[in-house]
Amino acid sequence: MINIVLVDDHFMVRDGIRAILEEEDDYQVVGEASNGKDAIQLVKSIKPDIAICDIRMPEMSGIEMVQKMLKKKLSTRFVMLSMHDSDEYILQSINAGADGYLLKGASKEEFMKALSIVSKGGKYFSGDVSSILVRKIKSGDDVSLHNTKSDDGSVEEKIKNPFDLTKRENQILRLAISGKTNKDIAEELNISRRTTEVHRFNLMKKMGVKNALELSNKAREYGMIS
């Protein structure tokens, strides 16, 4: 069961999200707050798996709240759900440490998809948000992601890596999908078979799959391989 805390200053928004989650077997709302300041105390006390946060709220914004909560080193992951699609809000949220960013106009299917990915350790940015990030990169603007590093530090790489795989896990993903065994992968990467097995287990856990076929299908579904 994935425990959720809702943080939004509008009761109707919280009520709507709660109604959606009550239809799902794997999610439950365990707490609500109407501002970032109260949410900090709530999250510290309940330690939910995910906090779904608005950005503009009284007392303390969702962005400031996420920044402060990450300093507490809790395992809670944060998804921003906002009506704002401005570059400033999106980039501030990501750099504050948000694990996802959805617009309030998102469909139920996209909303649940985002929660599924984030709950498994991945990051999710809606299509509109991803487009903004890529546009910023192409325009030469400096864009960084909190606590996530790819080889070249690019946001485009991060978008293609929604499950937050490490460089080694990405290498093993591609080799595993090509049909190579753990022994083959170990020899090609010059690492032990045991290390290969650990990395392969971790990447499959992050992606929520149980075998090589599911791994291949999910990687293609998310555009991680051609």
Side-chain angles (χ1 to χ4, degrees):
M1 183 68 71
I2 306 300
N3 293 324
I4 307 285
V5 160
L6 305 179
V7 186
D8 196 296
D9 59 327
H10 294 97
F11 171 79
M12 293 297 291
V13 172
R14 301 198 310 271
D15 194 46
I17 297 173
R18 190 189 322 108
I20 291 174
L21 294 176
E22 285 176 349
E23 296 177 354
E24 304 294 325
D25 295 331
D26 299 331
Y27 299 86
Q28 65 176 351
V29 176
V30 295
E32 299 182 25
S34 60
N35 62 71
K37 188 174 180 180
D38 290 344
I40 287 180
Q41 299 304 318
L42 184 64
V43 171
K44 284 170 59 178
S45 174
I46 298 178
K47 298 181 176 61
D49 299 296
I50 298 175
I52 300 173
C53 313
D54 191 12
I55 290 181
R56 298 186 63 180
M57 297 183 292
E59 300 288 340
M60 182 184 296
S61 73
I63 294 173
E64 186 178 356
M65 170 204 154
V66 172
Q67 287 177 322
K68 291 181 179 296
M69 291 308 304
L70 285 179
K71 294 179 181 179
K72 306 295 183 182
K73 301 187 183 301
L74 299 177
S75 60
T76 300
R77 298 176 68 79
F78 297 90
V79 175
M80 312 307 291
L81 184 63
S82 175
M83 62 182 292
H84 302 287
D85 62 354
S86 71
D87 297 10
E88 180 182 2
Y89 279 132
I90 293 168
L91 297 177
Q92 284 182 1
S93 295
I94 293 171
N95 286 319
D99 301 289
Y101 195 111
L102 279 171
L103 299 179
K104 288 186 175 178
S107 66
K108 176 183 176 181
E109 289 72 21
E110 183 177 23
F111 178 67
M112 297 311 303
K113 176 181 176 182
L115 292 187
S116 177
I117 290 174
V118 171
S119 70
K120 294 181 175 71
K123 293 183 181 292
Y124 187 90
F125 309 126
S126 70
D128 291 338
V129 173
S130 295
S131 297
I132 290 172
L133 295 176
V134 171
R135 187 179 72 244
K136 298 290 284 185
I137 287 293
K138 289 182 177 179
S139 68
D141 289 348
D142 179 31
V143 180
S144 59
L145 291 176
H146 177 89
N147 208 25
T148 55
K149 296 180 181 179
S150 57
D151 290 342
D152 59 358
S154 73
V155 174
E156 287 176 316
E157 176 65 23
K158 197 63 204 158
I159 293 169
K160 295 175 183 176
N161 181 15
F163 299 98
D164 202 18
L165 302 183
T166 64
K167 176 182 177 181
R168 183 66 80 191
E169 288 167 350
N170 266 310
Q171 291 174 326
I172 291 175
L173 168 66
R174 297 179 186 282
L175 292 172
I177 288 174
S178 71
K180 293 186 179 294
T181 65
N182 286 342
K183 180 181 178 181
D184 296 333
I185 295 173
E187 291 176 351
E188 182 158 340
L189 298 180
N190 195 30
I191 57 178
S192 71
R193 183 169 177 173
R194 174 59 180 162
T195 298
T196 301
E197 292 172 350
V198 171
H199 282 306
R200 188 163 181 165
F201 172 82
N202 288 338
L203 80 88
M204 293 181 74
K205 182 178 179 181
K206 286 181 179 180
M207 294 179 67
V209 299
K210 298 178 181 178
N211 54 53
L213 178 59
E214 290 182 3
L215 182 68
S216 178
N217 289 339
K218 181 158 284 191
R220 285 187 169 84
E221 177 185 353
Y222 284 91
M224 299 169 71
I225 59 174
S226 57

